[in-house]
Amino acid sequence: MRTLWIVCFLISIAWGTEAQEKYVFHADSLSFPIIEECPPNEYLSIDTRIKLAQFNQMYSREINMGAPNFQTSVEILKPDLYYSVQKLSKYFCKCLKKGIIKKDEAEIEFRSILDKCMLIVQKDTSPLEAELRATSNPSEIVGIFEKIEIQN
């Protein structure tokens, strides 16, 4: 009887710590920042670079520190999402440079991730951020972003 309780307890712990199947968010209307000039990147198209610059503007903001030095500091709104996307940007560029992924496939996948991230910027994403925080492998990060589902 005691072993039955231990087995049930272990199963319930394993079931509770399992990664979430999908992250469902409802789409709201957002205004995307206008990008006049996008940063250079020989591996990504202009559309993707503009989307990445919009993402960077939406997920970061400058804070004026005030006197005596009048310096500005950059605050990242959702660091786990932000740094995961930055890691994926480097990952996709590296894969394109080595010829591992076709440019069209990489562009579609990365733009999809950027679109999802920009649509959930104002949502509560703490479970998603916790899962991103727990992984560092770029292919696993892509898998986590594939779990995001945007409903209208």
Side-chain angles (χ1 to χ4, degrees):
M1 183 70 172
R2 188 176 206 184
T3 57
L4 179 64
W5 282 106
I6 292 172
V7 169
C8 289
F9 178 72
L10 291 175
I11 289 172
S12 67
I13 288 175
W15 185 47
T17 59
E18 190 174 303
Q20 190 166 343
E21 291 298 317
K22 286 192 178 188
Y23 298 100
V24 179
F25 297 100
H26 296 283
D28 294 333
S29 61
L30 288 174
S31 61
F32 297 106
I34 298 170
I35 304 299
E36 300 283 328
E37 198 174 306
C38 59
N41 187 327
E42 62 186 279
Y43 301 108
L44 299 176
S45 68
I46 292 174
D47 294 337
T48 306
R49 288 185 296 181
I50 289 173
K51 241 182 223 313
L52 184 59
Q54 287 175 330
F55 168 83
N56 289 336
Q57 275 192 345
M58 291 176 81
Y59 275 81
S60 64
R61 64 179 175 178
E62 288 187 2
I63 298 173
N64 188 357
M65 300 301 283
N69 297 334
F70 296 103
Q71 295 178 341
T72 58
S73 177
V74 176
E75 178 186 20
I76 306 298
L77 299 179
K78 296 182 179 194
D80 297 314
L81 273 167
Y82 179 84
Y83 291 117
S84 294
V85 168
Q86 299 305 321
K87 186 179 285 190
L88 288 179
S89 173
K90 292 175 186 173
Y91 169 72
F92 282 121
C93 287
K94 186 184 287 186
C95 287
L96 288 170
K97 181 179 179 180
K98 292 181 178 180
I100 298 171
I101 302 175
K102 292 181 183 177
K103 184 168 180 153
D104 297 340
E105 294 173 11
E107 293 273 332
I108 290 169
E109 181 124 26
F110 192 48
R111 268 189 266 154
S112 169
I113 290 170
L114 289 170
D115 285 337
K116 290 176 183 179
C117 288
M118 288 191 288
L119 288 172
I120 64 173
V121 68
Q122 298 173 345
K123 308 289 184 188
D124 178 25
T125 57
S126 50
L128 173 64
E129 292 176 68
E131 191 171 352
L132 286 170
R133 193 177 311 120
T135 187
S136 62
N137 184 354
S139 59
E140 291 176 9
I141 293 173
V142 169
I144 293 170
F145 281 116
E146 287 175 353
K147 293 180 189 179
I148 297 174
E149 187 177 302
I150 307 293
Q151 294 179 345
N152 292 330

